[in-house]
């Protein structure tokens, strides 16, 4: 059978479509966190004193450092796209390595933060947590839930960039065809944007 | 998807892939860091009015988000459609929060 | 034209009639036109179709008219509803306790009743209180309903305007026996009501049973051996039961300690074959004294 | 058509074997995979509905105990909504038809499409697993209201997880369709030359994309609450049950338009074909789809008029609810106007479409009754609501689905169904349906609450009528299914364009070849329903 191909085929390469799809996906991520922001807003409104009080338990310095780490990792991803566009494949790889290292740094710092909270028994089910007033419980639970979900996204983003690196190695992602890198980058920036909001909401209520 | 056929091009697509210079990105990053330091300072310096600090913190965070989206994420150089749709998404998000909050505020 | 069982019936039924009238008009009208077209322009009678693409005027008309109509409907819905929110200051205040799966009405003088008794032509204000899950107090004859949400201070009010007895339903799904969560309102003459209200003598029953009834224990635990959702109380005293404690099965004796634990921390020992989580801890709701009365009473249930 | 080639190999024959199906990235095969999965679940849920009607034939315990009944209606609701109605039209008809209708050979992301189907199956498996794992299926109602859903011992966690996964599948389908419509329309097809079904899918896809994440996160919170015992929505631990309801309905109201919009799209395809003339007010129908999708986001509060939401909030939600009726009204008027001066060919798909209009009208108008504050206070959570939503969901979306099944039967399976049997089945279904559900509206006005496994004597007569109606309906459905199964073997071969329709999917053989077209499809100029250009029978 004459296997003719339509000009507007779903099997053709269409970078704009891939990017558009990625953006749409980011919209859903935004609203996924949006639900949590809604819960946060309402409970914060109902328990403002308790939230204020509980937020003092969080470590502003670690939070700030992590913000800087994530912002910098966003920079390295953005730079890596420029690098690939200019054909500097080696540099691209190094920038991606840096990004993933920043991601790990972020997670390590988060790990220390979380374990400090665990030591204080602030995780649901632990002793100290159970004796907190309701509003503070809510704060800590939301803290764990939201930063936990965000942490999960950091991991996914890191893995995604790892796959992109493999693609670059295999010459599937090249200076002429770098939409995967762009999409990986988009995802990574979203993770950053969400943190930009989480950070003041939890750490800087004072 | 990775067929060897040519890439599709529709009206409204950006003509050329815009290459953002390294220096420009770094400049953006410096700006973001400054904004971060600002929020922390506003909070830690102890401007004690809770609402005030929340609002400033949110304004600064939004400013940062817009910068990241526009430049790091190249929103500025993409098809305008994406910006519009992003606007719709944010509008709905605002509606969800404000309608629900309205219920609580007027109880 | 309408019944006058409560002060809201008129408003609600008026708005119902108006919306229903408009709806019937559209339903009959549109269906009629549709059927007429199908018959009139059937291909046998009308073999050659004529294309009509659009007609701006017509389209604007049928956008604007429904818009106005729906706003009118909204308006009547609103005016029928408005008085329900205007809770008066003065009136008979009753606390309506909803719990899985029964109603208890607590009057200002501390009197408890499992039906709602109210005098004719007087405002009654209900404080809706739930300890476990969401219920909803529904009196169809009065056209009123409001959810009883734990932790939220909902209120409703009405004036009973015709003597009689009317159903109360629970209208929000609340678990197994949701459909059995019934009660009734008695609208009685004011003089009769005063007599009833001031008669606080307890009926000649065991004080333990009073506690069980007041806290709605009996809606889950039968006294005659039938299984509802909780184990029956009949004959449990002094017998052994198999319970699951922290996932392990063991056998315990039903004694004072056990009963007390079962009431204050029901999920610690879960009777085998029953679901944990249904019974709430009665720590702050049942006093030690009352527990002792319950135990006294259990002893009599052989 | 100019270059009619010899009958090409259909997509069925292009490849064979089980794996060529379950790992296929062809949109037509994925559509069919959805179809078979969806229909299986649908039959299960319908049987549950049948059991409920049996239980309700008399007051008191008839065939099952209270708890079982609760689990049955929960499973019935969950399957009907998450596994049948939400995916039915978009994931089956949408997948199969969208690329054909806009003249391309696949969706934008074929692999993602396959992945969505797998997610759907996974979600379905989880939903069914609740039957055997843990303490039995959830008994909360499909709304999973907290704090009951947090307290009950039944397997809510898994049911909720199933709904979460299904939501994901729905999001990815929506995403795929949006990109497909933006990027892959035939080169000459402008936005206002798209078939209205494509418009409906487009509007639906936006709801899928922008509302579903909210339910996703809400369900995750319910799971977290059950697993960690925290009090997100349980007031005993500082939570607020009403906040849960907000979050739930923020998704679930828009979701009802996910169910009905694509069905309306199907109707907009069928009516012009059988009236043999162009659709009336093409642009109005296209825009009203978008309007419904958009306004539909602002009305969720009408499910909470008695919940303890603030007075002003109730008023605002009521106004907005009424406004959402206007675009639906516009559609109904346009459909009826399309019949005007047509040359009407009364075939089964048209019958289903007309039944759709009548039943959707009745369902929609009862929606207005409960959209008004005063009346909803009385009717909320009564059988009136049950009647309302079966009218719109089953009488509306369900009937559109059945009609479309007949309309595109030839295109999909290459055979024609038997017309006279189909019409008998239709009349049985139509009568059965109305006998089943109309009494529910009356019961509701009389005050019978829903989710009641037992009821007062007063309500008996109408319940009996309703149960009898369900038997008539069943015989109709069984006859219809029988007819469709038999025709698959015995039916006549379907031509390219059996109904004289004008959209692109009829330019290709039935069933279509692997890459959809054997010649570049010709996009008609102007309005896609112009019967003047296309006279071929
Ligand atoms: C396909 C699904 C679907 C659709 C399309 C709709 C459409 C509508 N629904 Fe429905 N609804 C449900 C599914 C759906 N609903 C479900 C499942 C529930 C129950 C959930 C649960 O609790 O389990 C529910 C519950 C529900 C409630 C809450 C009831 C309660 O629990 O108390 C309300 C209240 O406002 C409501 C209103 C409406 C309205 C106003 C519309 C409108 O969109 C209807 C618009 C259509 C028309 C009005 C007809 C056409 C109009 C004309 C021909 C014009 C003439 C009329 C005029 C404008 C004057 N619905
Ligand atoms: C698309 C949606 C849809 C559809 C089609 C149906 C179809 C039916 N539903 Fe509905 N229903 C819902 C969605 C739907 N339902 C929802 C969302 C709820 C709310 C749940 C909740 O409260 O949480 C509900 C609730 C609900 C109730 C209220 C329960 C209560 O509040 O107590 C009732 C009661 O009668 C009912 C009955 C029926 C019946 C009799 C059918 C019938 O139409 C079914 C008729 C068809 C058949 C009986 C099938 C024939 C087929 C066979 C016999 C199979 C043969 C088998 C093989 C070949 C394998 N449903
Ligand atoms: Cu209490 Cu239903
Ligand atoms: Cu709704």
């Amino acid at each position: 059978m004459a296997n003719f191909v339509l000009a507007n085929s779903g099997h053709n390469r269409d970078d704009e479509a891939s990017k558009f799809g990625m953006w749409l996906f980011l919209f859903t991520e935004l609203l996924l966190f949006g639900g949590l922001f809604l819960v946060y807003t309402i409970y914060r409104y109902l328990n403002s004193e308790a939230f204020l009080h509980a937020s003092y338990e969080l470590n502003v310095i670690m939070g700030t450092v992590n913000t800087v780490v994530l912002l910098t990792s966003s920079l390295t991803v953005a730079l890596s796209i420029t690098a690939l566009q200019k054909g500097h494949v080696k540099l691209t790889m190094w920038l991606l390595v840096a990004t993933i290292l920043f991601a790990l740094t972020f997670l390590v710092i988060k790990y220390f933060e979380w374990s400090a909270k665990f030591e204080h028994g602030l995780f649901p089910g632990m002793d100290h947590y159970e004796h907190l007033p309701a509003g503070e419980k809510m704060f800590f639970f939301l803290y764990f839930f939201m930063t936990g979900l965000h942490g999960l996204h950091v991991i996914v983003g890191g893995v995604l960039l790892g796959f992109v690196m493999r693609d670059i190695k295999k010459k599937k992602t090249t200076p002429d065809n770098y939409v995967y890198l762009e999409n990986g980058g988009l995802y990574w920036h979203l993770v950053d944007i969400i943190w930009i909001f989480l950070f003041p909401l939890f750490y800087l209520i004072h | 998807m990775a067929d060897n056929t040519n890439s599709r091009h529709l009206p409204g697509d950006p003509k050329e892939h815009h290459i953002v210079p390294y220096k420009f990105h770094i400049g953006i990053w410096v700006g973001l860091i400054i904004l971060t330091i600002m929020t922390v300072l506003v909070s830690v310096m102890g401007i004690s009015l809770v609402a005030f600090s929340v609002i400033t913190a949110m304004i600064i965070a939004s400013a940062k988000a817009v910068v990241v989206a526009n430049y790091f994420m190249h929103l500025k150089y993409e098809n305008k459609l994406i910006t519009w749709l992003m606007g719709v998404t944010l509008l709905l998000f605002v509606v969800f929060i404000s309608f629900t909050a309205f219920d609580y505020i007027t109880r | 034209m309408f019944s006058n069982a409560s002060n809201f019936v008129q408003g609600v039924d008026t708005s119902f009639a108006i919306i229903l009238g408009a709806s019937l008009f559209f339903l009959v009208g549109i269906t009629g036109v549709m059927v007429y077209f199908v018959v009139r322009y059937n291909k046998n009678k009308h073999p050659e179709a004529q294309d009509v693409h659009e007609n701006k005027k017509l389209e604007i008309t049928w956008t604007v008219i429904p818009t106005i109509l729906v706003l009118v409907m909204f308006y009547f819905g609103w005016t029928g509803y408005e008085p329900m929110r205007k809770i008066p200051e003065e009136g008979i205040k009753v606390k309506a306790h909803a719990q899985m799966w029964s109603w208890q009405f607590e009057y200002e003088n501390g009197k408890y009743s499992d039906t709602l008794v109210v005098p004719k032509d007087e405002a009654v204000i209900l404080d809706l209180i739930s300890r476990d899950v969401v219920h909803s107090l529904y009196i169809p004859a009065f056209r009123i309903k409001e959810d009883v949400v734990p932790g939220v201070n909902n209120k409703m009010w009405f004036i009973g305007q015709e003597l009689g007895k009317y159903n109360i339903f629970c209208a929000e799904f609340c678990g197994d026996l949701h459909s059995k969560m019934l009660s009734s309102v008695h609208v009685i003459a004011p003089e009769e009501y005063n007599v009833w209200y001031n008669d606080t003598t307890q009926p000649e029953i065991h004080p333990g049973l009073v506690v069980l009834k007041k806290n709605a224990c009996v809606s889950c635990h039968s006294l005659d051996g039938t299984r509802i959702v909780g184990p029956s109380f009949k004959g449990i005293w002094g017998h052994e039961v198999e319970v699951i404690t922290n996932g392990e099965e063991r056998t315990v004796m039903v004694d004072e300690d056990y009963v007390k634990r079962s009431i204050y921390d029901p999920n610690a020992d879960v009777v085998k074959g029953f679901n944990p989580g249904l019974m709430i801890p009665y720590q702050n709701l049942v006093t030690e004294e009352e527990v002792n009365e319950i135990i006294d009473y259990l002893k009599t249930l052989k | 058509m100019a270059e009619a080639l010899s009958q090409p190999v259909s997509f069925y024959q292009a490849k064979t074997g089980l794996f060529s199906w379950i790992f296929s990235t062809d949109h037509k095969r994925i559509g069919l995979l959805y179809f078979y999965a969806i229909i299986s679940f649908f039959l299960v849920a319908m049987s549950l509905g049948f059991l409920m009607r049996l239980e309700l034939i008399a007051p008191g315990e008839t065939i099952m105990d209270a708890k079982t009944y609760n689990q049955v209606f929960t499973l019935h609701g969950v399957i009907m909504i998450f596994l049948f109605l939400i995916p039915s039209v978009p994931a089956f008809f949408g997948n199969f038809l969208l690329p054909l209708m806009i003249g391309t050979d696949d969706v934008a992301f074929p692999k993602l499409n396959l992945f969505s189907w797998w997610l759907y199956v996974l979600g379905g498996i989880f939903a069914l697993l609740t039957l055997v794992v843990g303490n039995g299926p959830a008994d909360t109602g499909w709304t999973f209201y907290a704090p009951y859903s947090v307290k009950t011992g039944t397997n809510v966690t898994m049911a909720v997880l199933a709904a979460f996964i299904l939501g994901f599948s729905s999001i990815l389908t929506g995403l795929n369709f949006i990109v497909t419509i933006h990027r892959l329309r035939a080169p000459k097809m402008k936005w206002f030359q798209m078939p209205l079904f494509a418009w409906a899918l487009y509007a639906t896809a936006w709801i899928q994309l922008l509302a579903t994440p909210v339910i996703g996160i809400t369900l995750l919170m319910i799971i977290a609450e059950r697993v960690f015992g925290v009090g997100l929505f349980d007031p005993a631990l500082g939570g607020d049950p009403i906040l849960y309801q907000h979050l739930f309905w923020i998704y679930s109201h828009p979701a009802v338009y996910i169910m009905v919009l694509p069905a309306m799209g199907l109707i907009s395809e069928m009516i012009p074909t059988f009236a043999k003339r162009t659709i009336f007010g093409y642009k109005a129908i296209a825009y009203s789809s978008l309007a419904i999708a958009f306004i539909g986001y602002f009305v969720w509060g009408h499910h909470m008029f008695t919940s303890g939401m603030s007075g002003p909030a109730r008023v605002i939600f009521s106004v907005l609810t009424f406004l959402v009726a206007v675009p639906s009204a516009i559609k109904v008027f346009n459909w009826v106007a399309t019949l005007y001066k047509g040359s009407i060919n009364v075939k089964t798909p048209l019958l289903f479409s007309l039944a759709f209009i009548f039943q959707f009208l009745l369902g929609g108008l009862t929606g207005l009754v409960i959209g008004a504050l005063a009346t909803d206070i009385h009717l909320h959570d009564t059988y009136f609501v049950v009647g309302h939503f079966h009218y719109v969901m089953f009488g509306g979306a369900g009937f559109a689905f059945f009609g479309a099944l007949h309309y595109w039967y030839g295109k999909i399976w290459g055979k024609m169904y038997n017309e006279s049997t189909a019409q008998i089945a239709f009349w049985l279904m139509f009568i059965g349906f109305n006998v089943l559900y109309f009494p529910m509206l009356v019961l509701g006005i009389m005050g019978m609450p829903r989710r009641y496994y037992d009821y007062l004597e007063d309500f008996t007569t109408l319940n009996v009528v309703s149960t009898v109606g369900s038997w008539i309906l069943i015989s109709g459905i069984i006859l219809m299914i029988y007819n469709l199964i038999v025709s698959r073997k015995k039916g006549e071969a379907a031509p390219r364009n059996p109904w004289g329709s004008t959209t692109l999917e009829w330019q290709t053989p039935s069933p279509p070849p692997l890459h959809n077209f054997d010649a570049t499809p010709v996009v008609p100029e102007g309005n896609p329903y112009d019967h003047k250009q296309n006279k071929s029978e």
Side-chain angles (χ1 to χ4, degrees), chain C residues 26 30 66 69-70 73, chain D residues 142-143 249 256-257 259-260 302-303 305 321 324-325 328-329 332-333 360-361 364-365 367-368 370-371 376 380-381 385 388-389 392-393 450-451:
Chain C
F26 278 101
I30 294 175
L69 263 177
V70 289
M73 291 179 183
Chain D
W142 79 280
T143 46
W249 292 114
V256 310
Y257 298 118
M259 308 176 208
V260 87
H302 66 212
H303 296 272
F305 284 158
T321 298
V324 88
S328 305
V332 171
F333 293 136
F360 175 73
L361 205 56
L365 294 168
L368 295 180
I370 46 183
D376 186 62
H380 170 71
D381 268 345
V385 176
H388 157 70
F389 67 69
V392 275
M393 294 205 293
R450 66 193 275 214
R451 295 173 174 169

Side-chain angles (χ1 to χ4, degrees), chain C:
Chain C
M1 179 164 143
F2 308 117
S3 104
N4 199 19
S6 83
N7 54 328
F8 305 124
V9 176
Q10 299 274 339
V12 173
D13 287 6
T14 310
S15 56
F16 184 73
I18 287 168
I19 299 173
L20 192 71
S23 298
L24 273 181
F25 171 77
F26 278 101
L27 183 67
V28 174
I30 294 175
T31 314
V33 170
M34 183 174 87
V35 172
Y36 171 75
F37 283 169
V38 172
V39 176
R40 170 68 187 78
Y41 298 111
N42 195 292
K43 72 168 191 277
N44 301 327
K45 283 192 200 155
H46 195 252
E48 209 42 48
Q50 260 162 282
D51 256 0
V52 185
H53 280 255
E54 53 185 15
N55 180 339
K56 283 266 149 55
K57 271 192 205 139
L58 187 61
E59 288 188 59
I60 291 173
T61 318
W62 72 38
T63 309
V64 172
I65 291 184
T67 310
I68 296 172
L69 263 177
V70 289
L71 290 177
V72 172
M73 291 179 183
F74 159 74
Y75 175 77
F76 281 99
W78 185 28
T79 48
Y81 157 83
E82 190 71 313
M84 299 185 194
R85 283 291 88 195
K86 292 229 174 74
I87 301 179
E89 307 266 299
E90 293 293 309
I92 297 173
K93 295 205 170 64
V94 182
K95 289 194 172 119
H97 296 278
Q99 48 229 324
M100 288 167 159
W101 292 283
S102 68
W103 298 99
Q104 285 288 324
F105 299 97
E106 183 187 349
Y107 286 78
E108 272 170 304
N109 62 354
K111 182 175 172 112
Y112 270 90
S113 165
D114 44 18
T115 54
L116 179 59
V117 178
V118 299
K120 184 167 176 285
D121 294 331
E122 249 180 87
V124 179
I125 300 154
L126 299 178
D127 246 325
L128 305 171
I129 300 165
S130 165
R131 296 158 180 167
D132 40 39
V133 301
V134 184
H135 304 271
S136 186
L137 198 153
Y138 177 30
I139 311 177
F142 291 179
R143 310 286 188 267
I144 50 173
K145 177 184 293 130
E146 184 81 15
D147 287 6
V148 190
V149 186
V152 178
N153 190 7
N154 282 349
K155 282 184 167 51
M156 71 200 290
W157 80 285
F158 62 86
I159 302 174
Q161 298 180 336
E162 281 172 10
L163 297 180
K165 192 172 163 186
Y166 308 94
N167 291 321
I168 293 181
F169 294 120
C170 175
E172 186 59 66
F173 181 70
C174 54
D176 294 11
L177 299 187
H178 163 60
S179 59
K180 298 273 165 65
M181 191 163 162
L182 311 174
S183 180
S184 52
V185 207
H186 298 238
V187 181
I188 57 181
E191 314 79 60
E192 226 179 307
Y193 174 77
N194 284 336
V195 176
W196 179 86
Y197 180 73
N198 292 320
D199 173 17
T200 45
T201 52
Q202 295 295 339
E204 282 297 303
I205 55 173
H206 194 286
L209 183 57
V210 174
V211 180
L212 291 182
K213 287 206 161 146
K214 189 173 92 181
N215 289 292
C217 313
V218 284
S219 55
C220 299
H221 300 279
S222 81
L223 305 175
D224 59 1
T226 41
R227 176 181 169 148
I228 315 179
V229 280
S232 173
F233 285 147
K234 184 177 169 137
I236 56 166
W237 183 259
H239 283 71
E240 289 187 332
V241 283
E242 282 185 31
V243 294
I244 297 168
T245 313
N246 294 327
E248 299 205 0
E249 265 183 50
R250 62 191 190 108
T251 310
V252 290
M253 186 65 143
V254 178
D255 53 17
E256 262 146 59
D257 256 11
Y258 172 76
V259 172
K260 196 160 156 192
R261 198 166 56 238
S262 289
I263 297 173
Y264 284 168
D265 191 4
N267 298 328
D269 302 319
V270 177
V271 183
K272 210 179 150 200
F274 291 88
N275 279 333
L278 278 179
M279 180 170 161
I280 53 164
Y282 283 84
Q283 196 85 48
N284 307 321
L285 303 168
V286 177
T287 62
E288 302 244 344
E289 219 173 287
E290 287 176 320
V291 171
N292 290 332
E293 285 172 350
I294 293 177
I295 291 172
D296 252 8
Y297 178 68
L298 289 184
K299 287 177 184 160
T300 69
L301 279 179
K302 281 282 160 341

Side-chain angles (χ1 to χ4, degrees), chain A residues 1 3-4 6 8-11 14 16-17 20-21 24 28 31-32 36 38-39 43 123-124 129 134 138 141 145, chain D residues 103-107 109 182-186 206 209-210 213 217 221 224 230-232 238-240 247 515 517-519:
Chain A
M1 190 41 31
N3 205 357
F4 82 105
L6 295 165
N8 54 325
S9 162
H11 293 95
D14 185 348
E16 288 300 317
F20 188 29
L24 294 181
T28 70
L31 286 167
L32 187 82
L36 285 169
L38 171 57
V39 172
Y43 284 142
F123 193 75
Y129 177 88
M138 202 65 83
F141 181 68
F145 199 102
Chain D
T104 179
D105 68 346
D106 210 328
V107 292
F109 308 115
H182 271 278
R183 311 265 340 156
L184 297 183
R185 273 171 291 126
W206 277 107
L209 199 71
L210 297 184
I217 197 70
M221 284 189 258
V230 291
L232 265 176
D240 180 1
L247 283 159
H515 288 295
F517 293 97
D518 50 355

Side-chain angles (χ1 to χ4, degrees), chain D residues 217-241:
Chain D
I217 197 70
T218 311
L219 296 177
L220 274 190
M221 284 189 258
I222 288 280
I223 295 180
E225 179 150 7
R226 282 180 72 90
V227 173
F228 296 113
V230 291
L232 265 176
F233 303 119
D234 182 357
L237 299 162
D240 180 1

Side-chain angles (χ1 to χ4, degrees), chain A residues 45, chain B residues 98 100-107, chain D residues 310:
Chain A
Y45 171 74
Chain B
S98 54
T100 311
F102 178 77
D103 168 25
Y104 282 85
I105 293 165
T106 52
R107 268 211 200 136
Chain D
S310 83

